[in-house]
Amino acid sequence: MTLTAPRLERCMPTSPHPDSRAEPGPLTRALLDHHDHITAFVISQTRDRSAAEDIVQDISLSVLAEDAKGTDPEHVLSWLIGLARHRVVDYYRRVARTGVEQPVGELLEAVATTFAEDVPDAGEDARERRLLGRCLDRLAPTARYIVDLRYRDGLGNDEIAATLTWKINAVKVALSKARRALADCVGRAERVRGMR
Amino acid sequence: MTSHDDLIFAHLDGDLDAAGQRELAARLRDDPAVRARLRELARLDARLGPVIASAPRPALTLRALPPSGRSLWLRPATLAAAALLMLALGAALLFTPLLTPAGLGLELLDGSLAADDRAPAAGQPIATGDRHSARLRLSATSTMTLQPATEVVVRAGESTRQAVDLRRGAARFSVVKGASKLTVATDAAEFTALGTAFTVRYLPDDPGTVELRVDSGRVKVAQRNLPGQQGSLEFGAGAVQQFSARDPVRLTPGKLVAVGPREVRLLIDNGQRTATYRVAPSCAIDLDGERIVLDDLPLGADLVVAHPPGDGAAVRIQARPPSLTGVFLGIEDRQVTVMTTGDATSSFDFVLDPAAEILIDGVPSDAARLPDYLVGMRTTLRFRFDRSAVDRVVIDTKQSPYRFGPGSPSRRLPGSGPAPGVL
């Protein structure tokens, strides 16, 4: 992915000059390469996709600011995960009085360690998303419908169950099965790609 | 032992209790394969939202409705074919629920029926007189109360799936949530109880129109006879809604309050009750006098419901102009990644149509130039969406707080901003 930033010194009357490009800093570069990984980490910590989006936005702004200051950590992914952990802690502090339950500390720690490990497919988000899109098209209609209800409409298990007049447990099973099928499909596509 | 996947999915869904969380933590500490699996499934979970948001919504797989009026079950040819098929198969168990009156749980509890000389039977008209009502048990978990001058036909009486044709009058249905499925068919619409109590009645002065009144729970409604209407509406407790066999749905007027994506919330009856209308995709709805399909609403747009002054009978729904304020992280293969900030709705990717019209401060530009403007830039864009693709992008830099990305100091240009077309 080629990334550029506008440069203010060059003012063009209609469109930017082709030379008016500036490479993003190393932290921003790393954030872009690990965007979905960081988002996944935050979701794993908060279990709230909406809150995770807000936190990732905060992270992106912090990263832009740190790059501007010239921050240069030794291990960038660990640094990003550390930054994300701070934002998650801030989040739980903010929602402490609203009844949002924080996972046990040892799980948060284990999840953070898990996501701070090096990942082989950094910078592959766009391709992975395209693969996932193709795999979605192969889901059985009912499975696809349930996945849509969860990830497009944001319905909880109980709401999906009410919509389909299913038992909640049946929804959980169907949703897990659909996600497992998607993971397998993406994994297969990855393996095929690796064999080429 | 619970599988790794089940533990991970339960954790991601927020369904894992403390013991399960400790179990997952232990496995993560001990097993690199579990750590890799968590990364894999969590990233899948994180990507599904934006990927689905940029994909067309699949067609719903609702059961097709008969083309007109009466139920297909009641047509003589259909009944004859079904009976022959069942006989040929020797399927006594299949035969029983449709035609045998006894042993189905159909029982008169209170009141009286027009034909007192026989027990209520499935497949036969059940009617009340002009002055009497009747309460009947449909099954162990559902009842129906027929108002005077009402006629129904119970199409099936098995314990988990029931269907009632309401031919005239009014009836109240009560179904225990999760216990069984009950569908009530009328000339104008078909109502499916989602664990609820509700009343359906034909309007006396307009027999082509039925009114739904939801006392508790939710009711799913599929409207009949309208081309292109393949989805359903859902109505929550407090909702009162009329359905016509001729016209698309018009939301019941009321004082209109908050609205979310594909959700319309109304205060009705002088603010005493709130009704939430969950609007399914692909469902035609009367939008400010024009029939539209809600799937055509812009991606990410909220529905804004207004009550036009001086017109107590109308409800106006508008799509809030889709706009985002955000940090633009990348564009590749027409895939633009946006992290929104401020009061925007969410972060997501969108696909730029190859023929998209792009205006930067009113000046036409082309997609190849967008990265120079967008990456790392916090500004306001307005998009026009054609389903999942964007066919128009308007960048108004004068409204931007001018927060630029790395390598560019944050600054605000003098005055109200640069001249149009100048960065």
Side-chain angles (χ1 to χ4, degrees), chain A residues 1-18 20-25 28 31-32 35-37 39-41 43-45 47-49 53-54 56-57 60-62 64-65 67-68 101-104 106-108 110-111 113-115 117-122 124-130 132-133 136-137 141-142 144-145 147-153 155 157-160 162-167 172 175-180 182-184 186-187, chain B residues 3 5-6 9-16 18 20-22 24-26 28-29 32 34-62 177-179 181 192-195 218 220 232 234 262 278 280-281 299 327 329-333 335 337 339-342 345-349 360 363-365 368-369 371-378 402-411 413 420-423:
Chain A
M1 180 186 290
T2 301
L3 297 166
T4 59
R7 186 181 292 173
L8 287 178
E9 290 79 7
R10 292 180 181 271
C11 295
M12 302 301 293
T14 56
S15 62
H17 191 277
S20 62
R21 291 165 180 263
E23 283 299 315
T28 306
L31 177 64
L32 295 170
H35 175 266
D36 289 352
H37 186 78
T39 304
F41 166 70
I43 290 176
S44 299
Q45 296 268 306
R47 303 159 304 165
D48 182 328
R49 288 164 190 81
E53 286 175 358
D54 292 341
V56 172
Q57 288 167 24
S60 67
L61 293 176
S62 297
L64 290 171
D67 252 342
E101 202 172 328
Q102 185 172 336
V104 299
E106 60 191 280
L107 179 58
L108 292 179
V111 169
T113 303
T114 298
F115 278 84
E117 290 177 353
D118 277 327
V119 286
D121 52 355
E124 300 284 342
D125 285 352
R127 191 177 55 78
E128 295 269 337
R129 289 185 181 202
R130 283 195 291 274
L132 181 56
L136 269 172
D137 292 339
T142 303
R144 174 60 197 274
Y145 187 46
V147 169
D148 260 61
L149 290 175
R150 162 59 56 84
Y151 290 95
R152 190 194 296 269
D153 300 334
L155 299 190
N157 288 340
D158 55 341
E159 294 171 301
I160 296 173
T163 299
L164 299 174
T165 59
W166 285 15
K167 304 278 190 192
K172 288 180 182 176
L175 197 52
S176 293
K177 194 174 171 185
R179 291 185 291 199
R180 198 175 287 123
L182 287 172
D184 291 347
V186 172
Chain B
S3 75
D5 284 3
D6 287 342
F9 285 135
H11 169 61
L12 293 175
D13 292 341
D15 290 336
L16 203 57
Q21 291 174 15
R22 290 191 188 90
L24 178 57
L28 288 171
R29 278 194 302 270
V34 181
R35 294 199 291 276
R37 188 62 169 167
L38 171 62
R39 287 193 292 266
E40 180 184 9
L41 295 181
R43 278 188 281 180
L44 177 87
D45 193 68
R47 286 171 179 144
L48 270 171
V51 168
I52 281 189
S54 62
R57 186 184 284 268
L60 294 179
T61 53
L62 294 177
K177 185 175 182 179
K181 182 175 181 182
T192 300
L194 304 176
R218 290 194 294 170
K220 186 161 73 176
S232 65
E234 279 185 25
R262 293 196 170 89
R278 294 203 54 249
L299 185 68
V327 178
L329 292 179
I331 176 168
E332 183 187 41
D333 294 340
Q335 189 87 11
T337 304
M339 279 190 190
T340 59
T341 57
T345 52
S346 62
S347 64
F348 62 92
D349 287 356
I360 301 176
V363 179
S365 184
R369 303 295 189 197
D372 299 296
Y373 281 102
L374 299 185
V375 175
M377 179 179 178
R378 187 178 181 188
Y402 286 99
R403 183 188 180 110
F404 287 87
S408 299
S410 296
R411 58 180 291 190
L413 297 182
V422 178
L423 265 182

Side-chain angles (χ1 to χ4, degrees), chain B residues 22 27 32 57 80 131 135 148 152 160 162 193 226 256 286-287 363 365 374 381 415 417:
Chain B
R22 290 191 188 90
R27 293 191 196 185
R57 186 184 284 268
R131 296 178 178 274
R135 189 163 70 95
V152 299
T160 58
Q162 295 146 339
L226 295 172
L256 302 149
D286 200 10
L287 174 63
V363 179
S365 184
L374 299 185
L381 296 187

